[in-house]
């Protein structure tokens, strides 16, 4: 059955995806040696450890984006269009911050802190997801499509909950860590 956000939102599937990614993140980061974490990735300028931090950051980003949705999702769609165009205009500085953040973040955080932070953000997203109403999941706003290939021109809150797993799965293929046992 379809709702105002398009196809019916399957919260249980999102919960399962959150847990799958949490377990995979733990396995990847927990099993890697220091040397494996320091290896370059495939197709990025990051090391494996830095890319794992970037993958974590994709989940950390959801909480502030939900706050942005609380504002723009209730305004006429044109208001978020102007905001998205502004953000698209500053893609170059964003790309620099997007690159440097994981370079510094991985070094500052360390393995144990990254694991704890991942667990906390996943637990928070589970709690938030459980309280979402269909009306809130259907809120829409424009997004800066030049910032990430998984951002759509217009996204719903439901789309936002699905975004970080797509981001994670994409970058997972760029890691040069051994295959899980």
């Amino acid at each position: 059955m379809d709702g105002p956000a398009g196809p019916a939102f399957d919260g249980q599937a999102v919960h399962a995806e959150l847990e799958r990614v949490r377990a995979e993140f733990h396995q990847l980061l927990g099993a890697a040696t220091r040397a494996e974490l320091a290896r370059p990735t495939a197709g990025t300028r990051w090391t494996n450890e830095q890319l794992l931090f970037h993958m974590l950051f994709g989940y950390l980003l959801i909480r502030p984006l939900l706050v942005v949705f609380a504002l723009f999702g209730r305004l006429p769609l044109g208001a978020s269009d102007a905001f998205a165009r502004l953000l698209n205009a500053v893609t170059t500085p964003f790309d620099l911050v997007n690159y440097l953040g994981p370079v510094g973040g991985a070094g500052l955080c360390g393995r144990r802190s990254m694991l704890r932070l991942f667990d906390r953000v996943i637990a928070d997203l589970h709690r938030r997801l459980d309280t979402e109403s269909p009306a809130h999941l259907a809120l829409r706003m424009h997004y800066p499509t030049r910032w990430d290939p998984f951002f759509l021109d217009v996204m719903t809150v439901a789309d936002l909950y699905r975004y970080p797993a797509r981001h994670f799965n994409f970058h997972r293929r760029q890691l040069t860590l051994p295959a899980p046992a």
Side-chain angles (χ1 to χ4, degrees):
M1 169 189 239
D2 289 351
F9 181 74
D10 185 352
Q12 287 310 108
V14 175
H15 280 299
E17 186 72 16
L18 289 169
E19 282 308 304
R20 180 198 61 82
V21 170
R22 188 190 66 73
E24 189 170 346
F25 189 83
H26 271 265
Q27 190 280 325
L28 290 166
L29 190 55
T33 66
R34 176 117 330 263
E36 290 168 340
L37 290 174
R39 275 201 314 238
T41 56
T44 81
R45 297 183 294 164
W46 288 311
T47 65
N48 283 315
E49 185 176 28
Q50 293 163 347
L51 184 53
L52 284 164
F53 185 88
H54 177 75
M55 293 159 70
L56 160 63
F57 192 73
Y59 280 89
L60 292 171
L61 188 61
I62 298 308
R63 295 184 294 186
L65 291 177
L66 287 168
V67 172
V68 172
F69 250 111
L71 170 66
F72 282 106
R74 289 174 170 76
L75 296 174
L77 203 52
S80 64
D81 184 44
F83 181 65
R85 281 185 286 136
L86 172 68
L87 293 178
N88 274 329
V90 296
T91 297
T92 301
F94 168 79
D95 287 343
L96 180 62
V97 170
N98 191 40
Y99 168 72
L100 292 175
V103 169
L108 289 173
C109 232
R111 185 188 310 237
R112 276 181 279 190
S113 292
M114 285 172 60
L115 291 171
R116 282 193 306 270
L117 191 53
F118 205 91
D119 287 346
R120 277 199 312 268
V121 73
I122 294 297
D124 182 63
L125 290 173
H126 279 304
R127 282 190 300 275
R128 287 173 184 254
L129 184 56
D130 285 339
T131 66
E132 295 288 8
S133 70
H136 191 259
L137 288 166
L139 293 178
R140 300 175 334 133
M141 69 175 280
H142 285 276
Y143 259 74
T145 55
R146 292 182 60 202
W147 282 31
D148 191 290
F150 300 106
F151 283 165
L152 307 171
D153 177 42
V154 176
M155 292 180 69
T156 64
V157 171
D159 294 329
L160 189 58
Y161 276 106
R162 294 179 189 112
Y163 158 79
R166 291 179 183 130
H167 179 262
F168 183 96
N169 294 338
F170 173 80
H171 286 302
R172 169 63 182 96
R173 293 186 295 270
Q174 295 174 315
L175 292 169
T176 57
L177 297 171

